[in-house]
Amino acid sequence: MTGSSEQSSLRWAERIANLLSSGPAVGAALAVALFAIGTLSLDKLSYLGHASDELRRLAIRVYGPQVAVEALRILAIYVAIGLVGGLLSSGLCTLRDLLRGRRPSSRLWRIGRHLILIGGLHAYFLGRAMVVHPQLFADAFYAKGGVRRDLQVILTDWVPPGLWDALLALALGLFVLLPARRFIGKLRAPRGLGPRALIGGGAALGLLVLAVGAASLSTAPRRAKENEGPNIVILAIDSLRADRLEDARYERVAPRMRRLSRQGVRFQSAYGTLARTFPSWVTLLTGREPHDHGIRHMFPSWEARRRAGLALPRHLANAGYRTAVVSDYAGEIFGRIDLGFHHVDVSSFSFYEIVRQRVISAHTHLLPYLATGPGRRLAPPMSGLPENADPLLLAERVKEMVDRVSRGKRFFLVAFFSSAHFPYAAPYPHYQRFTDRSYRGPYRYHKQRLLHEGPPSRADIDHMRGLYDGAVLAADEAIGRVLDHLERIGVAKNTIVVLTADHGENLYEPGLGMGHGDHLRGDSATRLPLVLFDPRQKRRGRILEGITRDVDLAPTLAALVGHPLTKVSGRDLGPQMAGQPGPEDRAAFMETGLWFTEDLPEVGEDMRLSYPPVLGGLVNMDEKRNGDLVLSPQYEELVVAAKHRAIRTKDWTLVYVPLRAGVRTMLYDMRQDPLCQRDVSALHPEMTQRLARRLMGWMREERGSLQVGSYVLPGKSGGEP
């Protein structure tokens, strides 16, 4: 009995040893080690590029248990990937052993070759992803300097994705097929390799073949036979400057969008009221002023969101349309307000999501798998990472949504691409298209915000502009894919297409800085690209010069499809598109957003009423709504009162700047000074007074507003008019 027990124990020990030396076990162990490395690298949290130790402590205090659950979820993903890698390694090793006719007797060598294979496969995915999405890995490599920086630069400059694929195929082929030279024609089951191992290895290889086959299959798109139209598709790019559709220098930057603008009607002088994403989209889709619908900044209260009023998606949904919006990280605003969309496929935003994103982004070795389309579905916070805004992946989601909503008679869809928004994180090869590869500054792959950063050099500015143009080109290609899909499924002839943006972007023009919404000088951030293509109209390929506004879009689209909107601030542009002249003296009115920090060189302390920064008490975390960020109520009136306002006419811009010592009014001659560098109010007092009266009249339209001397104090905004 004793001998039998010893033999049984030895057999069990052998089985356990074989299990621990198998590919899946080695893969799982390696995955756990990589998880531990990533967890140790998690140090601090940030929002919009602003880091805060207080934010980290708050996250631990409020979301400690959730962070632990998130860590376990990430560990599970690691282990699953390790198991799959281990299965592939087992299959490859089994095939090699089959060709050699024997299995290595050394268990240590069997473990070692699994480590080599799994590590090699992981190195392939990591290196390839570092080339395709270098922004995701810049903090762990380029920003560290030294060998790590050199490694990432070499990979992104000299090892394109296709070469990675070829190297992988060559390495795996050599590993498996080299033994065939001696044993070809002598295939037999290798010694020490039982039927179960053969079956397991064959199954692993079968999974690999199926995965490759599934990835290569493409099905013909279903034609939307039921759809009658007229449909509406709004294709928008965050921070897209209007000059990219106009200036001949940018023909290579936006070829598909420029082609669409030549086919449709382009509005040369379209202006947004508030150059920040949340209020801008509410204005675009309601046709009402921000002081009317009540969304005045990026962190509105839930009460303000409920009182925003009727938006075009709900209006058309009531008329029988299927409505949808699809977006990546900047489109999270559509998940924070109900505008009447039936389908909302956007990223999430809350304090908790910021925590989840930071936890995931710390795991550098997991990012190659999560930066893909399937990976984003597995880990939704990836869609909210600004460094992972891949418009081509978003285009696939848009196409899927088009297929879904076009099954009805008519649909309204918004596709909002974030790639051109800060930090201009374009995927391969677009981040290289317009940049100098010799550049080694801090913004090599994207324009991240750096703590205590000084003024950028000329090389920095040129490089950032190149990154921006690459991001626009990536979105341009994605938009082309969506337009082609509309043709393939047969709805293009019934679909009105709008090409626009929520706002433009300053790109370090003299005195204007970078970004949008902080000031109202120049037109780069306030002027919108606006193209409207209606396939039913014969008058196409025209440019309309008169001033139009973001509030005009919703009433125009509603009228074009026969469901007019009432109670709007904008006007229907249909008559102007049909050839009728627009009003000669129309003006655009604008206001700034809130200032996220106190260190804005373009809006110094002498040019603003101050309040705390976003991470310094300006916003609160709503724990009842999973950490949604809302403006602290005690700052609401101050934030609105501190706004700069402006009126833009054909030739002039007048800016209202409230200060503690009084209101400063600046007048700029846009014909002679388009960058607004010289205040000429003293030279043109009559024009200054005339425009100031018009601007004050617009500001006083806000219900409950009060004029005290030259100040206009805010009233109660929002709700149905």
Side-chain angles (χ1 to χ4, degrees):
M1 291 293 293
T2 302
S4 177
S5 298
E6 290 179 355
Q7 290 178 358
S8 178
S9 298
L10 289 174
R11 284 195 298 270
W12 275 107
E14 180 71 14
R15 290 172 183 172
I16 293 172
N18 287 334
L19 178 63
L20 293 177
S21 63
S22 66
V26 173
L30 184 60
V32 171
L34 294 177
F35 167 78
I37 293 172
T39 300
L40 292 175
S41 70
L42 179 60
D43 51 1
K44 56 188 176 183
L45 298 173
S46 64
Y47 173 65
L48 294 175
H50 303 283
S52 169
D53 291 332
E54 180 62 28
L55 197 66
R56 179 173 180 263
R57 288 190 291 269
L58 184 62
I60 295 173
R61 179 176 63 82
V62 177
Y63 291 115
Q66 289 92 328
V67 169
V69 171
E70 188 67 24
L72 290 176
R73 184 183 294 114
I74 291 173
L75 175 60
I77 296 174
Y78 263 113
V79 171
I81 292 172
L83 290 173
V84 171
L87 283 172
L88 293 175
S89 178
S90 293
L92 292 167
C93 289
T94 299
L95 184 56
R96 177 184 171 88
D97 293 343
L98 184 64
L99 293 172
R100 296 184 68 224
R102 59 187 175 85
R103 184 187 189 192
S105 57
S106 169
R107 182 173 288 111
L108 188 61
W109 168 236
R110 293 201 298 270
I111 294 175
R113 68 178 184 174
H114 283 312
L115 283 173
I116 293 172
L117 275 174
I118 298 170
L121 286 170
H122 177 64
Y124 160 76
F125 285 111
L126 178 62
R128 194 181 193 280
M130 196 183 300
V131 174
V132 176
H133 297 289
Q135 305 84 5
L136 287 172
F137 305 92
D139 283 348
F141 288 88
Y142 186 81
K144 298 296 184 182
V147 175
R148 291 190 181 187
R149 169 177 290 199
D150 294 340
L151 174 62
Q152 184 163 17
V153 170
I154 291 171
L155 292 181
T156 54
D157 283 1
W158 300 105
V159 192
L163 182 56
W164 278 103
D165 298 339
L167 290 173
L168 175 68
L170 177 63
L172 294 181
L174 290 175
F175 176 81
V176 172
L177 297 179
L178 274 180
R181 293 182 306 163
R182 296 173 54 194
F183 293 94
I184 192 73
K186 301 180 181 179
L187 297 181
R188 61 183 182 275
R191 294 188 300 273
L193 200 63
R196 291 183 180 179
L198 287 172
I199 293 172
L205 288 175
L207 285 174
L208 178 60
V209 172
L210 286 175
V212 173
S216 62
L217 287 177
S218 61
T219 57
R222 176 195 60 81
R223 294 188 67 81
K225 298 179 180 179
E226 302 293 327
N227 188 267
E228 298 175 356
N231 312 300
I232 300 174
V233 172
I234 298 179
L235 302 173
I237 301 177
D238 200 317
S239 307
L240 177 63
R241 289 168 57 118
D243 60 1
R244 268 37 181 189
L245 303 186
E246 303 164 356
D247 195 319
R249 293 175 299 171
Y250 304 112
E251 183 66 44
R252 293 172 53 229
V253 173
R256 191 61 186 269
M257 289 188 285
R258 292 169 74 101
R259 188 196 315 172
L260 180 65
S261 71
R262 290 190 290 266
Q263 296 170 341
V265 177
R266 178 163 63 84
F267 296 89
Q268 177 72 23
S269 302
Y271 289 89
T273 307
L274 205 170
R276 290 283 168 78
T277 301
F278 203 153
S280 178
W281 269 112
V282 178
T283 301
L284 285 164
L285 294 178
T286 62
R288 297 166 59 197
E289 310 275 6
H291 62 239
D292 195 0
H293 58 63
I295 307 300
R296 310 294 293 273
H297 47 74
M298 293 296 291
F299 308 104
S301 68
W302 280 90
E303 179 62 24
R305 301 178 211 188
R306 284 192 293 266
R307 293 189 287 110
L310 180 66
L312 183 60
R314 177 169 286 109
H315 179 65
L316 294 180
N318 294 338
Y321 276 71
R322 299 301 299 173
T323 60
V325 58
V326 187
S327 184
D328 40 17
Y329 81 90
E332 45 80 17
I333 66 105
F334 292 105
R336 298 166 62 201
I337 186 171
D338 183 6
L339 296 174
F341 289 104
H342 290 114
H343 308 287
V344 179
D345 180 9
V346 301
S347 62
S348 299
F349 173 82
S350 66
F351 189 90
Y352 180 45
E353 283 301 307
I354 295 173
V355 173
R356 295 181 70 193
Q357 290 167 12
R358 185 64 191 100
V359 171
I360 287 178
S361 62
H363 290 276
T364 305
H365 292 281
L366 191 60
L367 295 178
Y369 311 97
L370 300 185
T372 62
R376 292 185 185 199
R377 291 186 174 91
L378 190 63
M382 286 294 294
S383 296
L385 282 177
E387 297 83 3
N388 194 33
D390 189 333
L392 297 181
L393 290 179
L394 179 58
E396 295 305 308
R397 289 167 49 203
V398 174
K399 289 159 59 177
E400 292 174 5
M401 186 62 76
V402 168
D403 290 341
R404 184 176 183 180
V405 297
S406 64
R407 295 171 185 170
K409 290 186 176 181
R410 55 190 63 88
F411 66 88
F412 171 82
L413 182 139
V414 173
F416 184 40
F417 296 85
S418 305
S419 61
H421 188 284
F422 167 93
Y424 320 140
Y428 176 88
H430 302 92
Y431 62 84
Q432 296 178 337
R433 289 289 177 87
F434 308 105
T435 56
D436 182 357
R437 294 193 184 189
S438 66
Y439 174 80
R440 293 295 185 273
Y443 313 114
R444 167 80 184 195
Y445 301 109
H446 61 308
K447 173 50 178 97
Q448 76 278 35
R449 179 179 173 86
L450 303 176
L451 294 179
H452 312 299
E453 66 179 0
S457 67
R458 181 72 253 177
D460 291 336
I461 292 173
D462 290 342
H463 194 80
M464 284 185 279
R465 289 176 177 173
L467 291 174
Y468 174 85
D469 285 339
V472 172
L473 177 58
D476 182 86
E477 291 186 11
I479 282 176
R481 295 188 183 188
V482 174
L483 293 173
D484 291 343
H485 189 71
L486 295 176
E487 290 281 356
R488 283 195 296 269
I489 67 173
V491 300
K493 62 182 181 299
N494 299 325
T495 301
I496 299 168
V497 177
V498 178
L499 176 63
T500 191
D502 51 345
H503 48 72
E505 186 82 338
N506 295 311
L507 289 173
Y508 289 106
E509 289 81 10
L512 302 187
M514 189 214 78
H516 48 266
D518 291 326
H519 61 80
L520 300 173
R521 301 189 303 280
D523 281 348
S524 300
T526 56
R527 191 161 72 94
L528 308 177
L530 180 58
V531 175
L532 201 153
F533 172 74
D534 186 346
R536 304 168 302 171
Q537 294 190 354
K538 296 181 180 179
R539 294 176 61 88
R540 304 179 191 168
R542 294 177 299 123
I543 299 175
L544 301 183
E545 299 285 350
I547 285 181
T548 55
R549 301 185 59 205
D550 50 2
V551 291
D552 299 331
L553 182 62
T556 299
L557 294 177
L560 284 175
V561 297
H563 299 284
L565 269 173
T566 59
K567 300 180 180 179
V568 293
S569 307
R571 64 186 180 92
D572 176 14
L573 300 174
Q576 193 174 345
M577 293 171 59
Q580 298 181 21
E584 289 288 335
D585 63 342
R586 194 160 194 236
F589 298 95
M590 296 165 282
E591 63 182 65
T592 54
L594 60 77
W595 297 295
F596 285 89
T597 67
E598 296 176 310
D599 56 336
L600 293 170
E602 295 76 34
V603 190
E605 293 182 0
D606 60 335
M607 285 291 290
R608 57 179 286 191
L609 294 175
S610 63
Y611 44 76
V614 167
L615 299 182
L618 186 64
V619 298
N620 284 331
M621 182 179 64
D622 188 344
E623 297 185 31
K624 296 181 180 179
R625 296 185 182 273
N626 208 27
D628 186 35
L629 298 177
V630 296
L631 188 71
S632 301
Q634 66 266 31
Y635 293 116
E636 186 72 45
E637 289 190 6
L638 175 58
V639 163
V640 174
K643 286 175 175 284
H644 297 183
R645 321 292 176 99
I647 178 173
R648 173 68 158 93
T649 65
K650 178 183 177 182
D651 299 323
W652 302 93
T653 292
L654 182 130
V655 181
Y656 160 101
V657 178
L659 302 170
R660 294 193 180 277
V663 172
R664 181 176 176 184
T665 303
M666 298 170 289
L667 181 70
Y668 300 100
D669 184 343
M670 303 304 290
R671 297 163 299 183
Q672 305 296 324
D673 182 21
L675 297 182
C676 299
Q677 295 185 301
R678 182 167 176 250
D679 176 12
V680 295
S681 57
L683 300 178
H684 302 277
E686 292 185 4
M687 180 59 66
T688 300
Q689 293 174 11
R690 186 188 314 164
L691 294 180
R693 284 194 296 269
R694 293 185 68 180
L695 180 58
M696 286 291 184
W698 175 70
M699 295 169 64
R700 287 297 309 276
E701 290 177 4
E702 181 180 347
R703 285 178 295 161
S705 62
L706 178 65
Q707 184 168 352
V708 180
S710 56
Y711 293 98
V712 175
L713 303 181
K716 182 180 180 182
S717 59
E720 292 288 355

